[in-house]
Amino acid sequence: DIQMTQSPSILSASLGDRVTITCRASQSLNGWLAWYQQKPGKAPKLLIYRVSNLEDGVPSRFSGSGSETDFTLTISSLQPDDLATYYCQQYLRYRTFGQGTKVEVK
Amino acid sequence: EVQLVESGGGLVTPGGSLRLSCAASGFTFKNTWMSWVRQAPGKGLEWVGRIKSISDDGTTGYAAPVKDRFIISRDDSKDTVYLHMNSLKTEDTAVYYCTTDQTRSDVWGQGTLVTVSS
């Protein structure tokens, strides 16, 4: 099974800050990496697919990068609507989620 | 409108069984691979399993914690995917989501809560 390790678990930042979340896979994913946003009581929402492709309707302040086993989700300027939990997910073989990163206001 | 609606959740005793349903609308269900994802209270997302479209051989795959206990099936005539859960354990307590298994523009249901407790 492919394991996904995400960090940090909790990220405290100020509105307007640049925020970075990292995700590491136990093997190379050949680009099969996505990022999701989830708000309390809601289903997850796809933000980025294939490492760096922005899903339709997702603000351009979100970006993804990385390769092989190491990946990053960046929010260029944290907005109130971005306070949520973020998950990376591999889909090279079946699917596996990272443990999640809760983004909160400092 | 593209939509997935889960049903069938509820309270079940340990060792019991339950069947969840997920009704699809607004897209060509028969061509779509489908997955189930769960989330225990206060915890992260956990992929449960998926079923391919019949045209792609209709095979299933499962996460280790549910393999041999859970079965995913589909009825394309009803645009519905099912999650048959057997030998339920307290650790299976979670909100269960169905979702389209695709690279982009995926669709998620609202989730249905399964509580396993005596």
Side-chain angles (χ1 to χ4, degrees), chain B residues 94-108:
Chain B
V95 172
Y96 285 75
Y97 296 99
C98 67
T99 176
T100 57
D101 191 312
Q102 55 196 57
T103 301
R104 60 177 300 188
S105 303
D106 57 356
V107 182
W108 290 69

Side-chain angles (χ1 to χ4, degrees), chain A residues 23-90:
Chain A
C23 182
R24 173 165 288 177
S26 59
Q27 67 180 77
S28 176
L29 298 183
N30 294 332
W32 296 103
L33 188 282
W35 290 96
Y36 285 84
Q37 176 193 68
Q38 188 182 33
K39 296 182 178 180
K42 299 294 186 181
K45 172 188 174 183
L46 179 64
L47 297 177
I48 290 172
Y49 61 95
R50 294 288 281 156
V51 179
S52 60
N53 294 276
L54 215 59
E55 179 73 342
D56 291 344
V58 173
S60 59
R61 62 181 179 272
F62 290 92
S63 63
S65 63
S67 63
E68 304 290 338
T69 60
D70 294 302
F71 304 93
T72 300
L73 173 70
T74 299
I75 308 173
S76 60
S77 177
L78 189 67
Q79 301 300 306
D81 191 50
D82 303 337
L83 303 179
T85 300
Y86 294 84
Y87 296 91
C88 61
Q89 181 207 64
Q90 68 80 19

Side-chain angles (χ1 to χ4, degrees), chain A residues 36 38 43-44 87 89 95-97, chain B residues 6 20 34-40 44-50 63 70 72 83 94-101 106-112:
Chain A
Y36 285 84
Q38 188 182 33
Y87 296 91
Q89 181 207 64
R95 293 172 183 262
T96 313
F97 291 93
Chain B
E6 301 98 336
L20 305 183
M34 299 295 296
S35 279
W36 287 90
V37 173
R38 68 184 181 182
Q39 187 168 37
L45 301 170
E46 180 182 26
W47 177 81
V48 172
R50 69 106 171 94
F70 289 12
I72 299 174
L83 179 64
V95 172
Y96 285 75
Y97 296 99
C98 67
T99 176
T100 57
D101 191 312
D106 57 356
V107 182
W108 290 69
Q110 83 288 354
T112 186

Side-chain angles (χ1 to χ4, degrees), chain B residues 25-100:
Chain B
S25 59
F27 63 95
T28 307
F29 178 78
K30 67 177 183 179
N31 294 339
T32 306
W33 297 19
M34 299 295 296
S35 279
W36 287 90
V37 173
R38 68 184 181 182
Q39 187 168 37
K43 302 297 184 182
L45 301 170
E46 180 182 26
W47 177 81
V48 172
R50 69 106 171 94
I51 185 166
K52 294 183 179 180
S53 59
I54 300 302
S55 60
D56 286 328
D57 79 18
T59 55
T60 54
Y62 301 94
V66 307
K67 194 175 182 182
D68 299 328
R69 297 189 299 123
F70 289 12
I71 297 172
I72 299 174
S73 64
R74 63 190 299 155
D75 185 342
D76 290 347
S77 70
K78 297 181 178 179
D79 288 350
T80 300
V81 62
Y82 302 97
L83 179 64
H84 307 260
M85 303 184 292
N86 303 305
S87 303
L88 282 161
K89 306 175 181 180
T90 55
E91 53 263 41
D92 294 319
T93 293
V95 172
Y96 285 75
Y97 296 99
C98 67
T99 176
T100 57

